[in-house]
Amino acid sequence: MLSMIAALQMYDWPEIRDATDEWWRGLAGHLGVDAGLSRPDDFTAPWFADDLVFGQTCGYPFTHALKGRVACVATPHYAADGCVGPDYCSILFARENLPLPAFRDRVAAVNTPDSMSGMLALKLVFAPYAERGRFFARAIETGGHLASLAAVREGRADVCAIDCVCVALAQRYRPDALAGLSPIARSPSVPGLPFITRAGDPARLREGLSQAFADTGLASARDALLLSGFSVLDQASYGRITALEDAMEKAGGLSLI
């Protein structure tokens, strides 16, 4: 029998790692799961592990590389500007508060090529201004949202799209990350980052998740992580992501990386 693993790496910043551990210990107890959090260098690896009992992924991998390979347990709600229930958006940042067309032939910063919030969100906002799929002079891949903010702040890029939960975390824990940057636009809202499983029973995991959100002893950890509740969404609900992508591509698309 495989030993179970769990991973909550999507918002696992050093400043809130203790809160993440506290939340998982409490959640694991309610789930009846005996597994510590896995934090491999390749943060995507747990998504593809057969023994993943509980994890969190981005909506773009969920609708693409992971489609049919994992089950959605629930979609968490976050107490962040830009979040409404299980939905969230990206906030676009630049050093200059300019109209969107003025960023033509500039440099975009993208966290990863398979990111809803940092890649597709950016495309959705700028695609209406593209000509034959071209708008930016080029794009650089940074590896993470904080790195994208740094690239824009330091002048290596001119614009980036940032998950609104990351923006709220930065405002609370790393305000310097946003210093000198202006919000210039917001992307369309889509379902947020789902909790997933490959080796667990989604219905049983939802029961434990409900108990963990009702556990007053975990309130401080939830507050530190901005967690405020959850919704149960199905794969079809996440079809909003692929529908937006398909419509953009049919209209001409936008090349980044």
Side-chain angles (χ1 to χ4, degrees):
M1 186 177 196
L2 293 172
S3 59
M4 298 293 103
I5 65 168
L8 294 172
Q9 70 277 43
M10 299 308 291
Y11 299 118
D12 192 24
W13 292 19
E15 293 89 341
I16 53 175
R17 190 151 294 172
D18 288 347
T20 302
D21 288 336
E22 181 182 352
W23 167 244
W24 173 246
R25 283 194 298 270
L27 177 56
H30 289 294
L31 297 176
V33 170
D34 182 16
L37 284 179
S38 176
R39 291 185 169 105
D41 291 337
D42 178 1
F43 73 92
T44 69
W47 303 341
F48 299 92
D50 290 337
D51 52 351
L52 177 69
V53 65
F54 195 89
Q56 187 175 27
T57 187
C58 172
Y60 196 87
F62 182 66
T63 55
H64 290 72
L66 294 172
K67 186 175 181 179
R69 303 180 67 173
V70 298
C72 182
V73 176
T75 302
H77 303 177
Y78 289 93
D81 179 29
C83 290
V84 179
D87 291 350
Y88 82 133
C89 70
S90 290
I91 303 174
L92 277 65
F93 286 93
R95 293 184 307 283
E96 304 170 276
N97 192 354
L98 300 173
L100 296 180
F103 290 91
R104 183 179 304 278
D105 295 325
R106 302 286 190 96
V107 177
V110 177
N111 56 340
T112 61
D114 64 347
S115 170
M116 173 62 233
S117 56
M119 177 278 294
L120 184 56
L122 192 71
K123 285 187 174 185
L124 292 172
V125 170
F126 282 103
Y129 308 100
E131 296 178 358
R132 294 185 295 278
R134 184 184 178 279
F135 182 81
F136 296 111
R138 62 189 178 94
I140 61 172
E141 184 179 343
T142 65
H145 281 308
L146 288 172
S148 292
L149 288 169
V152 175
R153 206 170 54 246
E154 295 164 6
R156 291 180 284 114
D158 298 295
V159 64
C160 62
I162 307 297
D163 173 342
C164 67
V165 178
C166 285
V167 175
L169 290 172
Q171 289 170 336
R172 181 181 289 193
Y173 300 109
R174 293 194 191 186
D176 288 350
L178 301 171
L181 300 181
S182 296
I184 61 168
R186 295 192 177 201
S187 72
S189 291
V190 296
L193 283 64
F195 291 139
I196 59 171
T197 187
R198 287 173 65 89
D201 174 9
R204 173 65 190 95
L205 294 174
R206 288 176 196 128
E207 291 177 8
L209 193 59
S210 293
Q211 294 166 10
F213 270 101
D215 188 338
T216 57
L218 297 174
S220 62
R222 291 194 301 270
D223 177 72
L225 301 174
L226 308 182
L227 288 166
S228 60
F230 71 91
S231 294
V232 178
L233 303 182
D234 56 16
Q235 185 82 41
S237 299
Y238 279 85
R240 287 159 55 190
I241 292 174
T242 52
L244 285 167
E245 183 179 44
D246 291 346
M248 177 197 63
E249 294 296 344
K250 286 178 182 177
L254 174 60
S255 297
L256 283 178
I257 295 176

mmCIF file of all heavy atoms in Angstrom, residues 55-77:
data_model
loop_
_atom_site.group_PDB
_atom_site.id
_atom_site.type_symbol
_atom_site.label_atom_id
_atom_site.label_comp_id
_atom_site.label_asym_id
_atom_site.label_seq_id
_atom_site.Cartn_x
_atom_site.Cartn_y
_atom_site.Cartn_z
ATOM 1 N N GLY A 55 -3.963 17.970 -2.055
ATOM 2 C CA GLY A 55 -3.045 18.967 -2.588
ATOM 3 C C GLY A 55 -3.812 20.147 -3.141
ATOM 4 O O GLY A 55 -5.040 20.232 -3.040
ATOM 5 N N GLN A 56 -3.077 21.067 -3.726
ATOM 6 C CA GLN A 56 -3.688 22.234 -4.358
ATOM 7 C C GLN A 56 -2.937 22.535 -5.636
ATOM 8 O O GLN A 56 -1.702 22.498 -5.667
ATOM 9 C CB GLN A 56 -3.656 23.449 -3.433
ATOM 10 C CG GLN A 56 -4.424 24.654 -3.978
ATOM 11 C CD GLN A 56 -4.483 25.817 -2.999
ATOM 12 O OE1 GLN A 56 -3.606 25.967 -2.154
ATOM 13 N NE2 GLN A 56 -5.518 26.636 -3.100
ATOM 14 N N THR A 57 -3.675 22.817 -6.682
ATOM 15 C CA THR A 57 -3.066 23.117 -7.965
ATOM 16 C C THR A 57 -3.669 24.389 -8.538
ATOM 17 O O THR A 57 -4.632 24.941 -8.004
ATOM 18 C CB THR A 57 -3.242 21.946 -8.955
ATOM 19 O OG1 THR A 57 -2.486 22.203 -10.156
ATOM 20 C CG2 THR A 57 -4.703 21.745 -9.328
ATOM 21 N N CYS A 58 -3.111 24.854 -9.633
ATOM 22 C CA CYS A 58 -3.629 26.006 -10.367
ATOM 23 C C CYS A 58 -4.729 25.529 -11.307
ATOM 24 O O CYS A 58 -4.729 24.381 -11.757
ATOM 25 C CB CYS A 58 -2.481 26.656 -11.137
ATOM 26 S SG CYS A 58 -2.970 27.963 -12.287
ATOM 27 N N GLY A 59 -5.660 26.418 -11.638
ATOM 28 C CA GLY A 59 -6.760 26.043 -12.507
ATOM 29 C C GLY A 59 -6.341 25.660 -13.913
ATOM 30 O O GLY A 59 -7.002 24.844 -14.558
ATOM 31 N N TYR A 60 -5.224 26.220 -14.400
ATOM 32 C CA TYR A 60 -4.797 25.894 -15.763
ATOM 33 C C TYR A 60 -4.284 24.459 -15.854
ATOM 34 O O TYR A 60 -4.740 23.701 -16.721
ATOM 35 C CB TYR A 60 -3.750 26.893 -16.253
ATOM 36 C CG TYR A 60 -3.566 26.854 -17.755
ATOM 37 C CD1 TYR A 60 -4.380 27.615 -18.589
ATOM 38 C CD2 TYR A 60 -2.594 26.051 -18.346
ATOM 39 C CE1 TYR A 60 -4.226 27.573 -19.969
ATOM 40 C CE2 TYR A 60 -2.438 26.004 -19.719
ATOM 41 C CZ TYR A 60 -3.255 26.776 -20.524
ATOM 42 O OH TYR A 60 -3.106 26.720 -21.894
ATOM 43 N N PRO A 61 -3.377 24.013 -14.990
ATOM 44 C CA PRO A 61 -3.029 22.587 -15.013
ATOM 45 C C PRO A 61 -4.223 21.679 -14.760
ATOM 46 O O PRO A 61 -4.333 20.603 -15.363
ATOM 47 C CB PRO A 61 -1.988 22.458 -13.892
ATOM 48 C CG PRO A 61 -1.399 23.815 -13.780
ATOM 49 C CD PRO A 61 -2.526 24.772 -14.066
ATOM 50 N N PHE A 62 -5.132 22.119 -13.879
ATOM 51 C CA PHE A 62 -6.303 21.294 -13.576
ATOM 52 C C PHE A 62 -7.139 21.041 -14.825
ATOM 53 O O PHE A 62 -7.708 19.955 -14.990
ATOM 54 C CB PHE A 62 -7.142 21.972 -12.494
ATOM 55 C CG PHE A 62 -8.345 21.187 -12.070
ATOM 56 C CD1 PHE A 62 -8.221 19.981 -11.409
ATOM 57 C CD2 PHE A 62 -9.635 21.650 -12.338
ATOM 58 C CE1 PHE A 62 -9.331 19.237 -11.023
ATOM 59 C CE2 PHE A 62 -10.756 20.931 -11.958
ATOM 60 C CZ PHE A 62 -10.598 19.714 -11.297
ATOM 61 N N THR A 63 -7.217 22.032 -15.710
ATOM 62 C CA THR A 63 -8.034 21.895 -16.914
ATOM 63 C C THR A 63 -7.236 21.398 -18.114
ATOM 64 O O THR A 63 -7.811 21.189 -19.184
ATOM 65 C CB THR A 63 -8.686 23.236 -17.279
ATOM 66 O OG1 THR A 63 -7.664 24.245 -17.395
ATOM 67 C CG2 THR A 63 -9.683 23.656 -16.207
ATOM 68 N N HIS A 64 -5.935 21.219 -17.941
ATOM 69 C CA HIS A 64 -5.099 20.807 -19.065
ATOM 70 C C HIS A 64 -4.322 19.537 -18.706
ATOM 71 O O HIS A 64 -4.825 18.446 -18.888
ATOM 72 C CB HIS A 64 -4.180 21.959 -19.479
ATOM 73 C CG HIS A 64 -4.907 23.101 -20.134
ATOM 74 N ND1 HIS A 64 -5.728 23.966 -19.440
ATOM 75 C CD2 HIS A 64 -4.958 23.511 -21.431
ATOM 76 C CE1 HIS A 64 -6.249 24.853 -20.267
ATOM 77 N NE2 HIS A 64 -5.798 24.601 -21.484
ATOM 78 N N ALA A 65 -3.117 19.668 -18.177
ATOM 79 C CA ALA A 65 -2.262 18.502 -17.934
ATOM 80 C C ALA A 65 -2.855 17.513 -16.944
ATOM 81 O O ALA A 65 -2.595 16.306 -17.025
ATOM 82 C CB ALA A 65 -0.879 18.957 -17.456
ATOM 83 N N LEU A 66 -3.656 18.000 -15.994
ATOM 84 C CA LEU A 66 -4.218 17.122 -14.953
ATOM 85 C C LEU A 66 -5.656 16.692 -15.232
ATOM 86 O O LEU A 66 -6.230 15.953 -14.434
ATOM 87 C CB LEU A 66 -4.170 17.827 -13.593
ATOM 88 C CG LEU A 66 -2.789 18.107 -13.013
ATOM 89 C CD1 LEU A 66 -2.898 18.974 -11.770
ATOM 90 C CD2 LEU A 66 -2.064 16.805 -12.693
ATOM 91 N N LYS A 67 -6.208 17.115 -16.337
ATOM 92 C CA LYS A 67 -7.609 16.797 -16.623
ATOM 93 C C LYS A 67 -7.827 15.291 -16.667
ATOM 94 O O LYS A 67 -7.135 14.569 -17.385
ATOM 95 C CB LYS A 67 -8.036 17.413 -17.950
ATOM 96 C CG LYS A 67 -9.515 17.247 -18.230
ATOM 97 C CD LYS A 67 -9.935 17.968 -19.499
ATOM 98 C CE LYS A 67 -11.426 17.811 -19.747
ATOM 99 N NZ LYS A 67 -11.855 18.520 -20.970
ATOM 100 N N GLY A 68 -8.774 14.814 -15.861
ATOM 101 C CA GLY A 68 -9.066 13.391 -15.802
ATOM 102 C C GLY A 68 -8.101 12.586 -14.959
ATOM 103 O O GLY A 68 -8.281 11.375 -14.797
ATOM 104 N N ARG A 69 -7.087 13.235 -14.390
ATOM 105 C CA ARG A 69 -6.064 12.520 -13.620
ATOM 106 C C ARG A 69 -6.180 12.773 -12.125
ATOM 107 O O ARG A 69 -5.585 12.050 -11.330
ATOM 108 C CB ARG A 69 -4.667 12.916 -14.104
ATOM 109 C CG ARG A 69 -4.458 12.668 -15.587
ATOM 110 C CD ARG A 69 -3.076 13.074 -16.052
ATOM 111 N NE ARG A 69 -2.031 12.237 -15.474
ATOM 112 C CZ ARG A 69 -0.743 12.315 -15.833
ATOM 113 N NH1 ARG A 69 -0.366 13.183 -16.754
ATOM 114 N NH2 ARG A 69 0.148 11.528 -15.284
ATOM 115 N N VAL A 70 -6.907 13.831 -11.746
ATOM 116 C CA VAL A 70 -7.124 14.134 -10.334
ATOM 117 C C VAL A 70 -8.590 14.478 -10.135
ATOM 118 O O VAL A 70 -9.293 14.815 -11.087
ATOM 119 C CB VAL A 70 -6.246 15.316 -9.850
ATOM 120 C CG1 VAL A 70 -4.769 14.998 -9.977
ATOM 121 C CG2 VAL A 70 -6.593 16.599 -10.604
ATOM 122 N N ALA A 71 -9.041 14.399 -8.893
ATOM 123 C CA ALA A 71 -10.412 14.782 -8.543
ATOM 124 C C ALA A 71 -10.382 16.089 -7.766
ATOM 125 O O ALA A 71 -9.484 16.315 -6.948
ATOM 126 C CB ALA A 71 -11.073 13.690 -7.703
ATOM 127 N N CYS A 72 -11.359 16.944 -8.025
ATOM 128 C CA CYS A 72 -11.476 18.190 -7.275
ATOM 129 C C CYS A 72 -12.194 17.913 -5.955
ATOM 130 O O CYS A 72 -13.305 17.376 -5.951
ATOM 131 C CB CYS A 72 -12.246 19.224 -8.090
ATOM 132 S SG CYS A 72 -12.403 20.824 -7.274
ATOM 133 N N VAL A 73 -11.548 18.268 -4.868
ATOM 134 C CA VAL A 73 -12.171 18.121 -3.553
ATOM 135 C C VAL A 73 -13.047 19.340 -3.276
ATOM 136 O O VAL A 73 -14.226 19.210 -2.933
ATOM 137 C CB VAL A 73 -11.096 17.978 -2.455
ATOM 138 C CG1 VAL A 73 -11.749 17.929 -1.073
ATOM 139 C CG2 VAL A 73 -10.242 16.739 -2.704
ATOM 140 N N ALA A 74 -12.475 20.521 -3.423
ATOM 141 C CA ALA A 74 -13.195 21.766 -3.152
ATOM 142 C C ALA A 74 -12.346 22.925 -3.657
ATOM 143 O O ALA A 74 -11.163 22.765 -3.948
ATOM 144 C CB ALA A 74 -13.471 21.919 -1.662
ATOM 145 N N THR A 75 -12.969 24.090 -3.733
ATOM 146 C CA THR A 75 -12.254 25.301 -4.117
ATOM 147 C C THR A 75 -12.311 26.270 -2.949
ATOM 148 O O THR A 75 -13.402 26.702 -2.549
ATOM 149 C CB THR A 75 -12.879 25.941 -5.366
ATOM 150 O OG1 THR A 75 -12.860 24.995 -6.435
ATOM 151 C CG2 THR A 75 -12.097 27.178 -5.781
ATOM 152 N N PRO A 76 -11.169 26.622 -2.370
ATOM 153 C CA PRO A 76 -11.180 27.494 -1.195
ATOM 154 C C PRO A 76 -11.553 28.926 -1.537
ATOM 155 O O PRO A 76 -11.354 29.396 -2.656
ATOM 156 C CB PRO A 76 -9.733 27.416 -0.684
ATOM 157 C CG PRO A 76 -8.925 27.045 -1.883
ATOM 158 C CD PRO A 76 -9.814 26.179 -2.728
ATOM 159 N N HIS A 77 -12.117 29.613 -0.545
ATOM 160 C CA HIS A 77 -12.391 31.046 -0.631
ATOM 161 C C HIS A 77 -11.268 31.771 0.111
ATOM 162 O O HIS A 77 -10.802 31.299 1.152
ATOM 163 C CB HIS A 77 -13.703 31.414 0.052
ATOM 164 C CG HIS A 77 -14.892 30.695 -0.478
ATOM 165 N ND1 HIS A 77 -16.148 30.858 0.072
ATOM 166 C CD2 HIS A 77 -15.047 29.818 -1.503
ATOM 167 C CE1 HIS A 77 -17.021 30.114 -0.585
ATOM 168 N NE2 HIS A 77 -16.370 29.470 -1.545
#
